[in-house]
Amino acid sequence: MKRIKLIFLVIILIICALAGIWFVQDNPALTGLTVFGFSVGPLPLGVWLVATFFVGVLLALFATSVPVARARRKNKRLEKELNRLKSSVPA
């Protein structure tokens, strides 16, 4: 099952990379940005959009990692308690 999940993940990453390359090729207009007062050199619009999307995905993963970690920790604690209760009940 883990191998199938890994293969599926690799396929999805390859598709996303190809879509990103295609998107950058279709948006070649050079665009310069000013980010927090700093002028950033001109890059193709597709690069800026793909980079912004990537940063947004990373921020979302970071923001949800704490609640997910808490839920996993709580789940483990509850599973241990359930196993303890199951073992204490006579069959």
Side-chain angles (χ1 to χ4, degrees), residues 11 25 52 57 68 73 75 87:
I11 290 171
Q25 286 180 345
T52 304
V57 168
V68 167
R73 194 169 46 240
N75 189 24
S87 66

Side-chain angles (χ1 to χ4, degrees), residues 7-30:
I7 291 171
F8 184 69
L9 180 63
V10 169
I11 290 171
I12 293 296
L13 288 175
I14 290 171
I15 290 171
C16 288
L18 291 174
I21 291 168
W22 185 11
F23 190 77
V24 169
Q25 286 180 345
D26 284 349
N27 294 289
L30 291 178

Side-chain angles (χ1 to χ4, degrees), residues 3-64:
R3 185 172 291 187
I4 293 173
K5 187 176 180 181
L6 179 65
I7 291 171
F8 184 69
L9 180 63
V10 169
I11 290 171
I12 293 296
L13 288 175
I14 290 171
I15 290 171
C16 288
L18 291 174
I21 291 168
W22 185 11
F23 190 77
V24 169
Q25 286 180 345
D26 284 349
N27 294 289
L30 291 178
T31 306
L33 293 179
T34 302
V35 181
F36 302 118
F38 298 103
S39 181
V40 183
L43 289 173
L45 180 62
V47 171
W48 287 118
L49 292 173
V50 169
T52 304
F53 179 76
F54 182 70
V55 169
V57 168
L58 289 179
L59 286 174
L61 287 172
F62 179 72
T64 58

